[in-house]
Amino acid sequence: MPSATRRGSPPSPPASGPAAPTLKKVAEAAGVHLSTVSRALNPETRHLVAEAATARVLAEAARLGYRPDAAAAALRTGRSRLIGALVPGIANPVFAPILAGAEAVLAKRGYALLVADPGDDPARAVTLADEMASRRVDGLLLATAAGHDDPVVSRCLARGTPVVLINRTEAEARAPAVVSDDQEGLRLAIEHLVALGHRRIGHIAGPPNLSTGALRRRGFEAAMAAHGLDASAIAPATAYSRPAGAAAARQLRAGHPGLTALACANDLLALGTYDVLAEAGLRVPGDVSVTGHNDMPMMDMVAPPLTTVRIGHAEMGREAAHLLLRALDDRTTPPTRGTAVLLRPTLVIRASSAPPR
């Protein structure tokens, strides 16, 4: 039976486990100077160390289980090595490859990515951006930009936080952006449908307050006008979602029942259009051809596989990360106002488009 502790005597200290490995222990194990270990473990300074020495340091650090103290490093350098990202729907398959592309670039420079989803709620986006700022993120990747004066962009500019827009832009173009050529994407879809023989073509447009919705609609109208075709059959969706696509497709068919093709501003809108056409007993593409935009994952597995405009999602993420890193490397020279990387889309032709009956 254990002996009782005398009242007032201090409790016995808990048994301690093995001490956490330190930089000094890694240096001793690798047979190099402490400063060499510090440089080799930092992606920013690793190039200053010989490859053989770097390999030994990394191997010994992994063997010993050494982990840098991120909080201490942030205090020492003034950088958290954290990048925030806001996306409007983390379950939307468009954003997984964008984030993966960005993360691959950032990780090579020792940055970690924090992702939050405010949907398309500007107030929520501001709240999440403020929370990320409280965690001292070094920069922000923003896929939620909307309208003339996006409030998160305003917040970042006021704080001096580097920000790069992804997939969407502001009307004011106050921050650098990496986007697909949305007008060109719709032109490719219309050219394809016209080449198949379609003349009565409608457009399920994206939300008009988003740059993608406005620019893709503009591309549809310009492409139809170039062929002398009526471009009035347009129904804007309230969101980039399957239910919103279905609602817009019902509205469009009610006002324009003779359409033989529907060019949708987004793949989810196209899937909603599939639903409405099936409800009406119409076949795709036998009765109505449908095209999408984005080429989200698994669009080749729906029935029928969707003809769609392919965007370079991973490339978009990589380019945005490079832009942000350049801004972080030289805060004294802010990126040129409105700097934009415009990625060229391609058309992927599948079974949802065919000549009209």
Side-chain angles (χ1 to χ4, degrees), residues 166-190:
I166 304 178
N167 193 46
R168 301 178 185 175
T169 59
E170 277 190 306
E172 282 293 293
R174 296 178 297 164
V178 182
V179 296
S180 180
D181 189 336
D182 290 310
Q183 294 188 69
E184 172 65 8
L186 258 293
R187 188 194 69 79
L188 292 173
I190 298 307

Side-chain angles (χ1 to χ4, degrees), residues 276-335:
V276 170
L277 294 174
E279 290 169 5
L282 298 174
R283 295 170 300 145
V284 178
D287 298 305
V288 181
S289 287
V290 177
T291 65
H293 199 291
N294 284 355
D295 195 25
M296 295 177 178
M298 296 185 288
M299 288 301 104
D300 58 332
M301 299 177 67
V302 301
L306 182 65
T307 294
T308 187
V309 176
R310 175 174 290 168
I311 289 175
H313 300 109
E315 182 184 3
M316 188 177 288
R318 289 192 296 268
E319 289 292 338
H322 283 305
L323 270 181
L324 190 59
L325 288 172
R326 282 199 288 274
L328 289 169
D329 288 342
D330 187 8
R331 287 178 181 263
T332 60
T333 307

Side-chain angles (χ1 to χ4, degrees), residues 29-173:
V32 297
H33 193 272
L34 190 64
S35 62
T36 301
V37 174
S38 181
R39 292 191 185 100
L41 292 177
N42 184 350
E44 300 283 350
T45 56
R46 189 170 292 160
H47 67 282
L48 301 173
V49 181
E51 289 186 13
T54 295
R56 286 203 310 278
V57 169
L58 294 177
E60 291 301 328
R63 183 180 68 81
L64 294 170
Y66 174 78
R67 293 289 182 273
D69 186 333
L75 288 173
R76 186 174 66 253
T77 64
R79 290 195 178 185
S80 66
R81 315 299 295 184
L82 296 175
I83 299 297
L86 296 184
V87 297
I90 202 165
N92 187 324
V94 162
F95 296 107
I98 291 175
L99 293 172
E103 194 277 336
V105 171
L106 294 171
K108 289 180 180 177
R109 291 282 300 275
Y111 286 89
L113 193 63
L114 297 179
V115 182
D117 175 9
D120 276 317
D121 181 347
R124 177 67 177 152
V126 169
T127 297
L128 288 173
D130 287 343
E131 289 179 3
M132 287 186 169
S134 72
R135 287 165 173 76
R136 305 183 63 83
V137 296
D138 293 325
L140 189 67
L141 297 173
L142 187 65
T144 59
H148 183 79
D149 242 352
D150 185 83
V152 175
V153 175
S154 298
R155 245 348 185 257
C156 289
L157 294 176
R159 290 193 186 105
T161 302
V163 58
V164 175
L165 310 187
I166 304 178
N167 193 46
R168 301 178 185 175
T169 59
E170 277 190 306
E172 282 293 293

